[in-house]
Amino acid sequence: MEYREHIERVIEYIEENLQGEISLAQCARVSGYSSYHFIRVFKDTVGLTPADYIRKRRISEISREIMQGNRNISDIAFRYGFNSKENFIRAFKTEHHILPTEYKKAQNSLKLYQKFCFVERPFSIVPRILEIQPFFLTVYTCDEESVPNFWNKYNARGLSLKLSGGREVWDYGVSSWNHEQDRLDYYIGIRSEYALGDIRGTRELSIAGGLYAVFSTQAATQDSFVTLIHRTWEYINTRWQPGSGYVRRAAFEFECYLEQSRLFSEEIYIPLERATV
């Protein structure tokens, strides 16, 4: 790509100045483009406007630092260009739909934005193909446009322990495509046999038994966990599925992990049936 080296220069400039002043005019000068052309090329390449990229990178770095020590959140945010505690709280909540203090207390994984890179490392997962027995889940219905933000609320507010009555159990995220409304329906909860606590505001889902492909995500850190989950789903949908010899069966797809384990790994279950020739 003829513009790659131009955008790479800008990415490096942004990274070097996350704790300093970054102007779009200076970014354009670094790229060698006019301001109008720079903004268009940057968005086409990175998938975000320069302003959005800078904001997400700063919030991501602040989030990492919050988890790394006992420094005051306001002090960390100020170093990354937020001129008031209120401005940072507003930006963080807009991004993740929870408060910074909720995040610090829960220490849940967020969808953080890494430094943009043109070259991705090779990625593949070999699934296990197995039969599972049917079971039931007690779940909350997603009320967010973004699934990661729904997980943020679920984890930060301790809803798993609320459902289980204080017992640490596996959490399940369940999805199905709503063809009538052309959107993804998503739910989070626990197995119904463990739902011995407060289940107000929930519903019960029946998970069909049968043949599934089970993908175990690669090892991750708290910083990279959510990004890795998204990359695994992308791999399943675009690379594994087309040549697998299987087709998706009409049933819920689900992912599950144990939040309290701090292992930052999950399993993704895809219902299957053999493709017919």
Side-chain angles (χ1 to χ4, degrees):
M1 292 179 282
E2 62 180 30
Y3 46 79
R4 172 173 171 172
E5 64 178 271
H6 300 269
I7 299 303
E8 283 181 333
R9 287 202 301 267
V10 176
I11 295 297
E12 292 303 323
Y13 169 76
I14 290 172
E15 292 299 313
E16 292 169 2
N17 291 278
L18 284 175
Q19 295 186 21
E21 289 289 331
I22 305 176
S23 71
L24 294 184
Q26 181 60 26
C27 287
R29 283 193 289 271
V30 170
S31 75
Y33 295 130
S34 68
S35 293
Y36 172 80
H37 191 55
F38 161 67
I39 292 172
R40 183 177 63 82
V41 170
F42 189 96
K43 186 174 182 180
D44 288 346
T45 304
V46 178
L48 297 166
T49 66
D52 283 342
Y53 177 80
I54 293 166
R55 176 178 54 79
K56 288 177 182 292
R57 285 291 297 121
R58 281 175 163 163
I59 292 175
S60 294
E61 291 305 309
I62 294 168
S63 299
R64 290 188 181 95
E65 290 202 23
I66 288 173
M67 287 295 102
Q68 289 172 357
N70 296 318
R71 294 195 61 177
N72 185 280
I73 292 175
S74 298
D75 291 341
I76 299 171
F78 183 76
R79 284 196 292 108
Y80 283 90
F82 288 92
N83 56 16
S84 74
K85 179 180 179 180
E86 291 72 24
N87 284 344
F88 171 65
I89 291 174
R90 188 181 306 112
F92 189 95
K93 190 170 183 181
T94 297
E95 184 71 19
H96 297 302
H97 288 212
I98 58 173
L99 295 171
T101 49
E102 291 180 305
Y103 165 62
K104 185 172 184 178
K105 180 179 179 181
Q107 298 188 23
N108 58 292
S109 298
L110 298 176
K111 182 174 174 24
L112 301 184
Y113 281 80
Q114 312 289 336
K115 172 186 173 183
F116 179 80
C117 182
F118 278 89
V119 179
E120 288 191 348
R121 289 178 295 178
F123 186 90
S124 65
I125 299 178
V126 178
R128 293 170 288 142
I129 308 298
L130 51 80
E131 295 269 348
I132 71 168
Q133 297 299 311
F135 61 93
F136 292 92
L137 294 173
T138 298
V139 298
Y140 296 100
T141 301
C142 181
D143 58 358
E144 295 279 350
E145 292 184 6
S146 164
V147 169
N149 285 342
F150 188 44
W151 274 106
N152 291 345
K153 288 166 56 175
Y154 180 85
N155 287 324
R157 297 172 187 176
L159 296 183
S160 180
L161 294 175
K162 179 181 176 182
L163 289 177
S164 69
R167 181 177 181 180
E168 293 180 2
V169 297
W170 284 67
D171 295 307
Y172 289 74
V174 184
S175 60
S176 66
W177 189 256
N178 187 325
H179 293 282
E180 291 184 1
Q181 300 183 26
D182 194 30
R183 64 177 176 83
L184 185 74
D185 287 339
Y186 197 84
Y187 312 88
I188 301 177
I190 66 176
R191 292 181 71 119
S192 292
E193 62 262 37
Y194 302 129
L196 305 176
D198 184 350
I199 62 171
R200 289 175 295 179
T202 65
R203 59 175 293 187
E204 191 168 65
L205 296 182
S206 174
I207 304 300
L211 193 66
Y212 284 78
V214 184
F215 296 81
S216 298
T217 61
Q218 299 172 2
T221 64
Q222 182 179 11
D223 294 350
S224 64
F225 185 35
V226 178
T227 298
L228 181 65
I229 292 170
H230 284 240
R231 193 174 183 193
T232 304
W233 276 103
E234 181 182 21
Y235 170 80
I236 293 169
N237 294 330
T238 64
R239 295 177 56 192
W240 181 82
Q241 178 74 61
S244 66
Y246 295 93
V247 294
R248 277 173 152 100
R249 184 161 41 91
F252 286 117
E253 301 179 358
F254 60 94
E255 50 196 336
C256 58
Y257 81 114
L258 186 63
E259 168 72 15
Q260 300 302 319
S261 72
R262 316 309 289 169
L263 295 177
F264 305 112
S265 178
E266 74 166 22
E267 293 189 334
I268 296 174
Y269 286 71
I270 308 296
L272 301 174
E273 58 188 14
R274 286 282 184 183
T276 57
V277 179

